[in-house]
Structures are given as structure tokens and as C-alpha cells.
Amino acid sequence: MRKVIDINCDLGEGLGNEAQLMPYISSCNIACGGHAGDRKTMSTTIKLALKHQVKIGAHPSFPDIPNFGRKVMDIAPKELQLSIEHQIMQLMACIDQLGATLHHVKAHGALYNLVATDIETAQILLTAVKNTANDIPIYAPYNSVIAKLAKEQNLDVIVEAFGDRSYNDDLTLVSRTLENAVLIDKEKVLSHLLQMILKNEVMTINGVGVKMEAKTYCIHGDNPNAIMVLKHLEKELEKRDIKIA
């Protein structure tokens, strides 16, 4: 039986490579003003997604453009919640204007990592989603705090794994400050991804195989080899009867 997977990409982050990436992915996460992006980049990316029949997600973050949303902010819980809501609503306004549909919400950077482990921040994100895009699924890591909390609150979760990021033994992502945190070699990404897809496990940075199931797999739009990697994946996954859709 043919296996079908989703490959997602974080887009609208100012790199201008969306048109090149869109043909090789099946869902996208669009920056909506927290770490990057504005109405123009959101609309441009939505139009490309519609053209290529790519599912559209909101990609909110800590409101921290200088650090690209990759540092945890000291911010009041209510302020963070309102910021996330504002970001999602900005994207939804563009989506409505262009006749598109919001498919999911996926947090970005430091916010993504924090909601995976911290129950208070996870609840802030879930509340923001309920207030703006209720019944919309959330992309979240396997066995994470936010995945468990969302399921308890009857919110749909689409479990995500990273095809181009290295994992620690506890399934947290290796810090980007460390060597080999991001996989840029196309063959290494393919091998990493196939183990997750076919064996439901990930090989960690320490060479340990750890159980992990996922339905969507991320290749970062800011990976320096993103286009080459995605082209390679499309070709090699097809050989193995794995469809990206």
C-alpha cells in the first residue's frame, strides 16, 4: 500500500524563495508578523500556495523580529496571547481576502520549542488558537506537552517531525548554536527522513534510535540547501512508493 506523507515548509520569512519551494511541498507555515512577514509577504505566499494547491498554516512566534523569534522572550502571558492572536488574525484576513482556507497553526522557533515542554506557554498558544481559529489543527511535536494538552481539550493535533534537524535523546531539537543541528546534505536528510517514515523512530545526535511517529515532516525554508534537498526527496521518495500530498 502506498504511503502518503505531508512535507511542510516555513515560508514568508523574507528569503524570497517561496516560488522555488512550493512545487515540492504539500503544506506551508506562513510567518505572520511576529518574527518576520507583513501583509504583502503573507498575500504573496498565499497566492503561491493556492497556485500549487499547498495547504496554508499560520506561523506565529514571540513578537521578536530582531532575534527572528529564536529566543525566549520575557513577556507577560496575556501580552503573548494577544500577540499570537493578532498574528493569526492578520494572516486570516489575507486568507479571507484571497479566498483561501486556513488549514493549521504551527508555532515558530523558541515559541515552538517552549510549548513542547512548558504547560503554561502551551495553554497560551491553545487559547489564542481557540479565540481566533477554533477547530483548526495544530502542528506539534510527538509526545509533547502541547500535543497532550490539545488532545485533552479536543483540539486536533497533526504530529510533526523535522527532516533537516538533529534530535537529542529526549526528542528535543539540538540547539542551533551547536554543530550539526541543521542537516544540509541531501542524502543525510533523506536517510533521516526515511527512518522516521518507515521505522517510526529517529536516530538522535548520539546515535540512539528513539520511537517517534509523525504525519507531517518539516524542511526549513531557510535551510541553505532547501531547494536541492526538496527536489531530491521528491525523486527518492517516489522511488520508494511514498507520495507527498
Side-chain angles (χ1 to χ4, degrees):
M1 185 177 175
R2 192 170 204 196
K3 197 168 183 70
V4 179
I5 65 163
D6 179 72
I7 288 188
N8 76 78
C9 214
D10 305 338
L11 300 178
E13 296 181 322
L15 299 178
N17 58 358
E18 288 80 10
Q20 295 166 289
L21 296 171
M22 281 288 187
Y24 304 101
I25 62 177
S26 45
S27 70
C28 67
N29 322 298
I30 302 177
C32 36
H35 66 290
D38 55 27
R39 287 294 183 99
K40 183 178 179 181
T41 58
M42 286 183 239
S43 295
T44 299
T45 310
I46 291 165
K47 288 174 185 176
L48 285 167
L50 286 170
K51 177 182 176 181
H52 292 281
Q53 297 182 309
V54 170
K55 299 180 288 289
I56 296 167
H59 198 37
S61 69
F62 282 113
D64 185 14
I65 289 173
N67 292 305
F68 200 65
R70 286 192 170 142
K71 290 186 178 181
V72 174
M73 282 185 77
D74 183 10
I75 182 173
K78 190 63 178 179
E79 186 181 349
L80 177 59
Q81 179 191 319
L82 292 174
S83 173
I84 294 169
E85 291 178 6
H86 177 67
Q87 291 175 57
I88 294 171
M89 287 190 293
Q90 278 202 108
L91 184 70
M92 289 179 72
C94 295
I95 284 172
D96 291 345
Q97 188 175 28
L98 294 167
T101 303
L102 182 66
H103 174 263
H104 64 275
V105 174
K106 173 188 167 181
H108 165 81
L111 182 62
Y112 184 96
N113 294 334
L114 192 58
V115 299
T117 59
D118 181 70
I119 192 165
E120 181 183 9
T121 313
Q123 186 58 62
I124 289 168
L125 178 62
L126 292 181
T127 300
V129 172
K130 287 178 187 177
N131 287 346
T132 55
N134 200 17
D135 297 328
I136 297 295
I138 293 169
Y139 282 11
Y142 173 73
N143 213 23
S144 60
V145 166
I146 191 166
K148 294 174 184 175
L149 197 60
K151 287 175 183 176
E152 288 172 7
Q153 297 174 25
N154 297 315
L155 286 172
D156 288 339
V157 175
I158 298 173
V159 179
E160 179 183 42
F162 290 86
D164 62 353
R165 289 294 310 275
S166 298
Y167 282 85
N168 296 307
D169 293 353
D170 63 356
L171 294 185
T172 58
L173 295 173
V174 173
S175 170
R176 284 177 176 267
T177 61
L178 301 176
E179 192 177 356
N180 297 325
V182 180
L183 305 177
I184 59 174
D185 180 88
K186 63 183 183 181
E187 294 296 344
K188 288 183 178 178
V189 175
L190 176 64
S191 175
H192 193 55
L193 196 59
L194 284 174
Q195 182 152 4
M196 292 188 278
I197 295 169
L198 300 177
K199 297 185 178 180
N200 287 330
E201 71 172 18
V202 62
M203 189 62 68
T204 73
I205 197 80
N206 297 315
V208 178
V210 179
K211 175 180 170 60
M212 182 172 67
E213 299 174 6
K215 294 292 185 184
T216 184
Y217 302 87
C218 178
I219 303 296
H220 285 86
D222 62 353
N223 185 314
N225 287 341
I227 296 164
M228 183 191 303
V229 165
L230 286 167
K231 286 181 178 179
H232 186 64
L233 291 179
E234 182 187 56
K235 181 178 69 175
E236 294 300 321
L237 292 176
E238 181 64 32
K239 288 179 184 177
R240 293 161 174 83
D241 208 25
I242 301 169
K243 178 179 176 60
I244 300 168

